[in-house]
Amino acid sequence: MKCPTCGQICRTNREFCALCGTPLKRKKRHGGLIALLLVLVLLLGAAGYVFLMKDPLNLIKGLRPAEPAAREISAVQADSSAIIVQETAEMPAAVAREGLLWQDAAEIYVKDRYTLALCKDGTVKLAGQSASPEFGFDLFDWANIKQLVPADFFVAGLTADGRVRLTGEVSGYEEAARWTDVAQLYLDGDTLLGLTGDGHVLAAAPELAFDPSELHDMVNILTGGPDTLAVARDGRVSVLRRQGMLWDLDGAYGLKEVACNADYALFLMEDGTVRTGASLHYYLNGTDSPFYGWENISQLVAGDWFALGLTREGTILGASTAYGEPIPDTSAWTDVRQLLLDRERSIVYGTTGDGRVLAAAASQETTLPELGSWQNVAQLQISRNYIAALTTDGRVLTFAWPEAPAALDCEAWAGVSSVALSNTHLAALLADGTVLAAGDNSFGQCG
């Protein structure tokens, strides 16, 4: 740069002349300002292009990543407040997998806080948690399992080679882990029972109430009644556990089923006849058995104040077990194949040969569920909060009482082969091994 005063040639980065000290006026470069102006012009042009378009949101939609194929968006509409998305391509019900748990199950089991699956390869899977926060279920190394026995606080598994696996709150049950040659497991209240291949009975519990060590040649154990009964190969019946009742079945032959309430026990024999036992109160009062003459019976149920017998012809016999107490009116029922009892509400349900569901209550003031539209029912299950039916074409029908913790959203399920129902949720097993679940998921029992 040349000094305007003395003519001295100076470097362009100097502010004053080195000879006379005159301030030098350097020309400023405007490259940065030009670039900024160019960017602004481009942005304004792009904005104008967008807002002059007929449908400006199409540009934004095009910049977004593609949605998954299972959720095809057919149209987008905009108004002054929101974007409304319309979905028209829903997945078919037959392949819907809401509540999918597993895809390789052979059997399913449910308790209020968990769901179990016995898989086809003999392993076990769990969803949910145990009923106590102090312990958990460790099933990860279980293998070669052929039977599961779920309880509220523990799970027992029987292996194909006759050993027993335990997990959960197993204090008092440790002896079962040493059992061998076990062919079948049973749970009787808080007692775990095992039946060996040669007919011996094994028992484990925190407080064992009986010693079955002398029993042999047994083929079945009946639990859940006033007595725990073991049935021998020749039909002979032995009593394992008794709850203060007077009836005596020692030496009886051909026992098939037991039903009971606080005052009576009904023993269904293989020939269809019914043997009865009564409490001390009824023995002392010399009360005649209200079940005298019952025969040709295929199933028994007992409520708190009544008992019903399903005949082999599909009709119902009923009797009160307490003077003056009503019984459900089933006099018009025909072609009944199965009875189920809601003991808490004193409601009895019957499934018919053509797939209808019948219901009757002991009291006329009891509200009955509306099941008249159900058809083609092949299997019916009840719990405290729900009723569930499996139809002949693999669909699931459900009813929930007002106090139920959640709805059972399973109308879209198809191809179901069996269901398992608890007080909180429902699990379904599909023919291909898929397990679905619906209902309350407070503990992860639905996945």
Side-chain angles (χ1 to χ4, degrees):
M1 178 180 292
K2 185 176 180 179
C3 177
T5 302
C6 65
Q8 174 68 27
I9 302 299
C10 303
R11 294 194 303 270
T12 57
N13 62 348
R14 293 188 63 87
E15 296 183 7
F16 300 95
C17 177
L19 182 61
C20 65
T22 300
L24 301 176
K25 294 181 181 180
R26 294 179 289 111
K27 295 182 180 180
K28 296 183 180 180
R29 296 183 180 270
H30 301 287
L33 179 59
I34 294 173
L36 179 59
L37 290 174
L38 181 60
V39 171
L40 290 175
V41 170
L42 291 175
L43 289 176
L44 289 174
Y49 172 75
V50 168
F51 286 101
L52 289 176
M53 288 174 60
K54 183 177 179 181
D55 188 359
L57 288 180
N58 280 331
L59 177 62
I60 301 174
K61 179 183 174 182
L63 296 175
R64 292 177 179 169
E67 293 282 352
R71 189 171 184 256
E72 180 181 342
I73 299 177
S74 63
V76 179
Q77 298 176 347
D79 60 17
S80 59
S81 60
I83 298 176
I84 303 172
V85 179
Q86 296 179 339
E87 298 181 10
T88 58
E90 298 180 355
M91 289 188 294
V95 296
R97 288 294 181 265
E98 294 85 356
L100 173 65
L101 285 178
W102 309 293
Q103 294 180 293
D104 55 353
E107 299 175 10
I108 53 174
Y109 308 79
V110 296
K111 301 296 284 186
D112 286 357
R113 298 192 179 194
Y114 66 86
T115 304
L116 279 178
L118 177 57
C119 299
K120 298 174 183 178
D121 61 359
T123 60
V124 181
K125 292 183 178 179
L126 168 73
Q129 67 182 51
S130 59
S132 172
E134 285 79 23
F135 65 92
F137 294 162
D138 184 3
L139 303 162
F140 297 105
D141 64 342
W142 283 27
N144 205 28
I145 302 295
K146 71 173 186 178
Q147 182 195 359
L148 290 174
V149 176
D152 289 335
F153 300 103
F154 72 92
V155 176
L158 178 62
T159 67
D161 59 356
R163 310 286 300 190
V164 177
R165 300 293 306 270
L166 298 169
T167 187
E169 190 174 320
V170 298
S171 178
Y173 299 94
E174 295 89 348
E175 176 64 25
R178 293 185 282 272
W179 295 349
T180 58
D181 189 33
V182 179
Q184 185 77 16
L185 288 177
Y186 306 83
L187 187 63
D188 181 31
D190 61 353
T191 302
L192 183 64
L193 298 167
L195 184 63
T196 67
D198 58 2
H200 286 85
V201 178
L202 309 172
E207 295 183 6
L208 190 59
F210 54 87
D211 181 9
S213 59
E214 296 183 0
L215 296 178
H216 58 87
D217 205 27
M218 297 294 161
V219 294
N220 193 19
I221 298 175
L222 299 177
T223 64
D227 301 329
T228 303
L229 307 172
V231 182
R233 195 176 307 277
D234 61 3
R236 172 175 46 88
V237 178
S238 297
V239 178
L240 300 181
R241 175 186 57 80
R242 170 160 295 146
Q243 292 185 343
M245 301 300 183
L246 294 179
W247 47 75
D248 186 1
L249 274 182
D250 278 334
Y253 286 82
L255 179 63
K256 176 183 177 182
E257 185 180 310
V258 180
C260 65
N261 56 26
D263 295 309
Y264 278 95
L266 284 74
F267 304 101
L268 178 59
M269 313 308 288
E270 290 180 350
D271 62 2
T273 60
V274 177
R275 292 183 56 172
T276 62
S279 67
L280 178 61
H281 167 75
Y282 280 84
Y283 272 118
L284 292 178
N285 285 277
T287 305
D288 293 333
S289 170
F291 314 104
Y292 179 78
W294 281 22
E295 59 185 12
N296 205 25
I297 303 297
S298 62
Q299 184 188 356
L300 293 169
V301 295
D304 289 340
W305 311 113
F306 64 87
L308 302 174
L310 172 61
T311 70
R312 291 170 179 169
E313 293 82 13
T315 58
I316 309 297
L317 300 178
S320 174
T321 60
Y323 180 76
E325 292 293 334
I327 67 173
D329 183 7
T330 58
S331 57
W333 291 12
T334 59
D335 193 28
V336 179
R337 302 297 176 87
Q338 180 190 17
L339 290 179
L340 288 92
L341 178 66
D342 182 343
R343 193 160 186 165
E344 182 177 339
R345 298 178 177 88
S346 292
I347 299 176
V348 63
Y349 301 92
T351 57
T352 67
D354 58 359
R356 294 175 294 117
V357 178
L358 309 174
S363 172
Q364 295 182 353
E365 298 179 356
T366 301
T367 301
L368 295 176
E370 297 181 0
L371 308 177
S373 63
W374 288 13
Q375 297 179 354
N376 302 320
V377 172
Q379 177 188 357
L380 187 69
Q381 292 192 21
I382 62 174
S383 69
R384 184 175 65 248
N385 295 320
Y386 300 104
I387 304 171
L390 176 62
T391 67
T392 54
D393 58 354
R395 299 280 180 174
V396 179
L397 309 174
T398 61
F399 170 86
W401 293 99
E403 57 270 27
L408 300 179
D409 297 324
C410 50
E411 292 80 3
W413 295 356
V416 177
S417 60
S418 65
V419 295
L421 183 66
S422 77
N423 293 318
T424 63
H425 72 299
L426 169 74
L429 176 64
L430 276 59
D432 61 1
T434 299
V435 178
L436 306 175
D440 178 58
N441 198 34
S442 299
F443 301 92
Q445 63 266 51
C446 293

